[in-house]
Amino acid sequence: TAAAPLLSVRGLEAWYGESHVLHGIDFDVAPGEVVTLLGRNGAGKTTTLKSIIGIMGKRKGSIKLEGKETIALPSRAIARLGIGFVPEERGIYASLNVEENLMLPPQVKPGGLSLEQIFELFPNLKERLKSQGTKLSGGEQQMLAIGRILRTGANLLLLDEPTEGLAPVIIEQIGRTISKLKREGFTIILVEQNFRFAATVADRHYVVEQGKVIDMIPNQELDQNIDKLHSYLGV
Ligand code: ATP
């Protein structure tokens, strides 16, 4: 029998003011799994992540973490359950150096990685310890943004387009890091436009279209579904 889901989303709806953008999102993530949310621009992927961490003003439906309903909880309480979010813009503080950026987010749960463990994953960050956020390359900023949430003790990581704008060699490094985090037991939801990258790291792919999950493709069945996926993504 399959493991009970770590995260279970059912009938999720969300609004920006009067604008209704999620119309019933359904998906599950098992402990230790890497899943992607794929879909065109504006499909609702980022809004789904924002709903999970509790920062959408109006949302309804059900979002259960280890069976506990979180839909009505404030974002601080949700963070304490062990969810970490890396936004598309990465959120690095420009006036703080790498070390200060790493130290900033509070621990939400025991079991967060030490600075040394973070530097094992991202050796570049150790070399750049005293560099200001603004002086980092896009890849270094992405590594810092991921490293920073690993300190908090979060075990469910939500990564919004981590490869966007990065060179292929850096994308490969991010991919190896995600695979390593998976081996260490982290559960990861990845929003991606780049499904070639997604295929190198994910177990399953959920396709989001117009505020709904319209399909799920296991990674090992990606090849036989490639035409369907192209039409979903409009590529
Ligand atoms: P993208 O890759 O473009 O971010 P996405 O699938 O993540 O795509 P969302 O960002 O979740 O899509 O956007 C879903 C819908 O909500 C879109 O129609 C978008 O225009 C709208 N939207 C997103 N952010 C806001 C906002 N702050 N205020 C109003 N509408 C928004």
Side-chain angles (χ1 to χ4, degrees):
T1 61
L6 179 73
L7 184 79
S8 183
V9 177
R10 287 291 176 277
L12 175 63
E13 298 183 50
W15 289 257
Y16 292 102
E18 297 292 299
S19 172
H20 191 181
V21 299
L22 299 186
H23 300 276
I25 295 271
D26 299 306
F27 70 102
D28 288 327
V29 189
E33 230 187 350
V34 177
V35 305
T36 65
L37 303 179
L38 299 174
R40 299 177 191 222
N41 286 335
K45 305 176 299 292
T46 300
T47 305
T48 300
L49 299 187
K50 286 161 71 173
S51 299
I52 293 168
I53 61 167
I55 61 172
M56 287 302 293
K58 185 174 172 198
R59 60 193 189 278
K60 71 176 226 192
S62 171
I63 302 175
K64 286 185 179 167
L65 188 70
E66 293 178 343
K68 180 184 163 69
E69 184 59 67
T70 68
I71 192 79
L73 293 180
S75 55
R76 278 165 157 271
I78 295 172
R80 280 197 293 271
L81 297 173
I83 302 183
F85 174 55
V86 178
E88 196 172 344
E89 319 73 50
R90 299 169 185 140
I92 302 304
Y93 293 90
S95 62
L96 303 185
N97 69 28
V98 166
E99 185 173 27
E100 291 162 341
N101 265 286
L102 284 171
M103 298 308 287
L104 201 67
Q107 307 263 140
V108 293
K109 248 187 152 177
L113 269 52
S114 67
L115 288 185
E116 278 313 311
Q117 289 171 311
I118 292 169
F119 298 145
E120 276 169 32
L121 280 171
F122 303 114
N124 316 35
L125 290 183
K126 190 167 188 175
E127 290 161 25
R128 305 287 261 138
L129 204 57
K130 302 298 175 190
S131 303
Q132 258 184 279
T134 41
K135 300 282 183 345
L136 303 179
S137 69
E140 288 168 335
Q141 289 189 19
Q142 184 62 48
M143 292 170 200
L144 177 54
I146 296 174
R148 188 166 63 177
I149 55 164
L150 298 175
R151 265 200 79 250
T152 65
N155 59 344
L156 172 60
L157 312 180
L158 313 184
L159 310 181
D160 197 351
E161 299 201 31
T163 64
E164 203 194 7
L166 301 182
V169 54
I170 308 296
I171 293 178
E172 273 174 39
Q173 193 180 353
I174 302 280
R176 283 195 300 274
T177 305
I178 290 172
S179 300
K180 187 163 185 206
L181 292 172
K182 175 182 163 68
R183 287 195 299 277
E184 293 182 5
F186 288 91
T187 305
I188 298 172
I189 302 176
L190 199 63
V191 163
E192 265 303 332
Q193 307 262 7
N194 179 348
F195 74 84
R196 290 181 199 292
F197 170 76
T200 65
V201 293
D203 299 300
R204 295 188 297 135
H205 309 278
Y206 287 101
V207 180
V208 182
E209 193 171 290
Q210 296 186 345
K212 286 187 181 153
V213 171
I214 58 159
D215 206 351
M216 188 281 286
I217 304 174
N219 197 48
Q220 63 270 30
E221 295 172 18
L222 205 57
D223 285 347
Q224 68 240 48
N225 284 288
I226 209 76
D227 291 341
K228 199 164 75 169
L229 196 60
H230 280 143
S231 78
Y232 287 147
L233 300 177
V235 290

